[in-house]
Amino acid sequence: MSNSLYPVFLKLEKLSLLIIGGGKIALEKLESVLGNSPETSITLVAKEIIPEVIALQNRFPNIILHERPYHINDFDNSDLAIIAVNDIALAEQIREQAQQKNVLVNIADKPDLCDFYLGSIVKKGSLKIAISTNGKSPTIAKRLRETFTEMIPDEMDLVLDNMQNIRNQLQGDFNHKVTELNKITTQYLSEGAVPAKKDDLEIEKLIHITKTAQRKANISLAIIGVMLLFGVFGLVIYQFNLADDIQNFLNKDGHIFYWMLFAGFVAEIVAGSMGMGYGVICTTILLLLNVPPPVVSASIHSAESFTTAAGGFSHYKLGNVNKKMVWVLFPLAIAGSIIGALTLSHYGEHYAHIVKPIIACYTLYLGLNILKNAFKDKNKNRSKTKKRTNLRVLGFVGGFIDSFAGGGWGPLVTGTLIKEGRIPRYVVGSSTVAKFLLTVTSAITFIFTIGIHHWNIVLGLLLGGVFTAPFSAMLTTKLPTKKMFVVVGVVVIIMSLVTIFKSFLS
């Protein structure tokens, strides 16, 4: 038997649908229609109507129920009809009467008698894919629908919106527009056409998008920082003769301010090259300098409040933010960050000998993970579909770890979402916005719990990243990514091991 079906998408909400039958089958058909076209004008006729169908009428006022026998005149104001009765002889009789009224019918579980089929439908925003097995196996169609729903990323609707915007902005005749859109879509699809290199391409996209956004954010921060700090501080120093006080501030805690300039600079290079790692590098260096764990996390999050704000704004302007993902991630991420900050503030000082090696062990794990990414098998084809992580749980765990350990949001949250096959640009943009919100929350929590007495560390980290941004941006474009992974992974591992070793000796 040849497959002669021709798929057509109907604007069902502009048509009138008649359903004959009021049992379980009718309920299934009714739910299918309402799930895709909830405002469709529907008339249902049956001798007996089950309570579940009546309950649907309470939710959808566009459904009209008639608890009576069917009559041929019911076809008069109908465009399509679904026959959901268990009596095959009655179904055939109704079909003949529908043909007399020029109404197309679908008869449940009788494909040979159907004028049209109700396919299994994949929905991703504006994208709809209807699957039909030519009436042979609805079960296979259902399984295919589940597979496609899992495989197609949630961000597909944003891709479609971007394509529509591009199409609306194109100038020229129809042929020119088609040619240009073909170029764009061919490039987009071809990037994912080689399964063996899918992970590599996504990491490259992640790095490219992160570099672009961060470069713009850093340049903006550098300009603002230079204007504000040199202008305002210069005026204040001159008016109040604060040169000696500033010198004491810079030399405080064993000249740690200068170490923080170095840490901020290194962390900026790492974050620009790898798309993550700012908190990991800063935490590792601060622990090595015997800074108390609460001050470590509080300092990093205070400095990151500025950089993540600029980065998040840049991603938003570039159209890289999936608002739905942000709304799912950040509420529990904020809750996790508050719990992590309170836990660290309460136990960090009194139990520093326990907390420091715990955090160092976590940074050691992150270092090993960075090193693993550098030497991963690029030719390994991962064809198995991975189970999607619960975003709320991931956000909570990521927020807690980031706040408690001083970093880790990027490797844990961003890395996990990328590995699941989500579109990198939206993962990075959405994750950065959520990171900004939890960073501010964490910083505020630390201010209220341990106070503000670490400005030399905060300013060192902030200035180290901001004022060296133009140089670090140029440097990151020249550094090979794989070697950066190796160097950073080795350095983090060594410093973490030294911190662990020193903790056990003290």
Side-chain angles (χ1 to χ4, degrees):
M1 178 182 176
S2 63
N3 190 343
S4 58
L5 292 177
Y6 188 85
V8 174
F9 288 93
L10 298 175
K11 292 184 177 180
L12 201 55
E13 294 181 347
K14 296 182 179 296
L15 302 175
S16 296
L17 176 66
L18 172 66
I19 298 179
I20 301 174
K24 293 289 186 181
I25 299 175
L27 175 64
E28 180 183 342
K29 300 293 185 181
L30 191 58
E31 289 177 335
S32 175
V33 170
L34 293 173
N36 287 276
S37 304
E39 296 183 8
T40 302
S41 176
I42 302 173
T43 301
L44 187 144
V45 179
K47 291 181 179 180
E48 295 182 3
I49 301 176
I50 60 176
E52 291 87 345
V53 173
I54 297 174
L56 279 178
Q57 186 188 35
N58 296 330
R59 292 169 48 199
F60 298 93
N62 47 302
I63 301 176
I64 300 174
L65 302 181
H66 296 294
E67 198 163 22
R68 59 168 173 78
Y70 146 80
H71 191 274
I72 189 173
N73 292 334
D74 291 323
F75 286 115
D76 289 344
N77 298 315
S78 302
D79 299 302
L80 298 169
I82 296 176
I83 303 173
V85 296
N86 290 321
D87 188 337
I88 183 61
L90 177 60
E92 290 179 343
Q93 178 185 347
I94 295 174
R95 180 175 181 268
E96 291 177 0
Q97 293 176 344
Q99 289 177 336
Q100 296 175 18
K101 297 286 186 175
N102 294 319
V103 175
L104 300 178
V105 299
N106 171 274
I107 300 180
D109 203 31
K110 295 297 177 183
D112 292 340
L113 300 178
C114 290
D115 297 315
F116 65 92
Y117 295 151
L118 298 179
S120 292
I121 299 172
V122 179
K123 283 201 307 181
K124 289 287 181 176
S126 298
L127 175 68
K128 279 192 178 182
I129 301 175
I131 302 171
S132 171
T133 57
N134 211 10
K136 291 186 176 181
S137 179
T139 302
I140 293 295
K142 179 182 177 182
R143 293 289 176 260
L144 287 173
R145 181 196 69 197
E146 294 171 352
T147 302
F148 279 114
T149 300
E150 181 71 20
M151 290 175 59
I152 299 173
D154 296 332
E155 297 81 9
M156 180 56 69
D157 203 36
L158 293 174
V159 174
L160 294 175
D161 288 340
N162 288 337
M163 290 300 299
Q164 184 181 32
N165 292 334
I166 293 172
R167 185 184 66 183
N168 292 337
Q169 294 173 11
L170 285 175
Q171 303 295 325
D173 59 16
F174 177 78
N175 290 332
H176 172 73
K177 291 182 179 180
V178 170
T179 301
E180 292 301 314
L181 291 173
N182 281 339
K183 288 180 183 178
I184 296 171
T185 52
T186 299
Q187 181 181 4
Y188 174 78
L189 293 174
S190 64
E191 287 179 350
V194 185
K197 296 184 178 180
K198 180 180 178 182
D199 291 345
D200 302 331
L201 288 170
E202 288 173 346
I203 291 298
E204 290 174 7
K205 290 179 185 176
L206 167 64
I207 294 169
H208 175 71
I209 294 297
T210 304
K211 283 181 180 179
T212 302
Q214 193 156 5
R215 212 171 286 134
K216 292 184 178 182
N218 288 338
I219 292 173
S220 301
L221 273 176
I223 295 173
I224 295 172
V226 169
M227 292 176 63
L228 289 178
L229 290 178
F230 280 96
V232 176
F233 284 176
L235 181 62
V236 171
I237 291 171
Y238 177 77
Q239 290 290 336
F240 297 96
N241 194 22
L242 299 176
D244 293 336
D245 293 332
I246 291 176
Q247 187 65 34
N248 292 332
F249 174 81
L250 296 178
N251 296 334
K252 185 180 177 182
D253 299 326
H255 301 88
I256 197 172
F257 173 81
Y258 300 104
W259 281 104
M260 292 304 97
L261 280 175
F262 173 73
F265 174 67
V266 173
E268 181 64 34
I269 294 176
V270 173
S273 298
M274 299 168 54
M276 58 189 74
Y278 184 92
V280 177
I281 291 293
C282 292
T283 299
T284 309
I285 294 175
L286 286 168
L287 287 178
L288 197 62
L289 294 173
N290 291 320
V291 177
V295 178
V296 170
S297 187
S299 304
I300 292 171
H301 285 92
S302 297
E304 277 192 312
S305 296
F306 297 92
T307 57
T308 54
F313 180 74
S314 297
H315 278 295
Y316 180 80
K317 294 294 288 183
L318 289 169
N320 297 338
V321 178
N322 182 342
K323 295 179 182 178
K324 181 180 178 182
M325 182 183 292
V326 174
W327 277 104
V328 173
L329 273 176
F330 91 86
L332 283 179
I334 288 177
S337 69
I338 293 174
I339 295 173
L342 292 175
T343 303
L344 186 62
S345 299
H346 184 71
Y347 296 106
E349 289 283 357
H350 298 89
Y351 300 96
H353 61 289
I354 298 175
V355 175
K356 283 182 68 175
I358 290 175
I359 297 176
C361 287
Y362 178 65
T363 58
L364 174 63
Y365 161 75
L366 293 178
L368 292 171
N369 198 43
I370 291 171
L371 205 59
K372 176 185 174 183
N373 288 334
F375 293 101
K376 70 179 181 178
D377 185 5
K378 294 184 178 181
N379 295 319
K380 187 176 180 181
N381 184 4
R382 297 177 177 88
S383 58
K384 184 178 179 180
T385 302
K386 298 182 179 180
K387 185 178 179 180
R388 289 293 177 94
T389 305
N390 187 305
L391 287 180
R392 291 180 175 83
V393 175
L394 183 65
F396 178 82
V397 174
F400 176 84
I401 290 178
D402 191 87
S403 190
F404 184 83
W409 175 269
L412 178 63
V413 178
T414 307
T416 298
L417 296 177
I418 288 292
K419 290 175 183 176
E420 287 183 353
R422 298 175 186 266
I423 298 177
R425 60 177 294 192
Y426 296 114
V427 170
V428 178
S430 307
S431 177
T432 301
V433 172
K435 165 73 172 175
F436 162 68
L437 296 171
L438 77 90
T439 297
V440 172
T441 302
S442 182
I444 293 174
T445 305
F446 279 119
I447 288 173
F448 280 102
T449 52
I450 67 175
I452 306 175
H453 56 264
H454 48 272
W455 282 113
N456 53 340
I457 298 176
V458 175
L459 284 176
L461 291 175
L462 183 60
L463 297 180
V466 171
F467 287 159
T468 57
F471 173 73
S472 63
M474 289 187 296
L475 188 59
T476 52
T477 60
K478 300 181 183 298
L479 290 174
T481 304
K482 181 175 181 179
K483 291 182 180 178
M484 277 295 297
F485 270 81
V486 174
V487 172
V488 172
V490 170
V491 169
V492 170
I493 290 171
I494 292 175
M495 289 195 295
S496 299
L497 288 173
V498 170
T499 301
I500 295 171
F501 183 71
K502 289 174 64 177
S503 298
F504 284 113
L505 287 181
S506 60

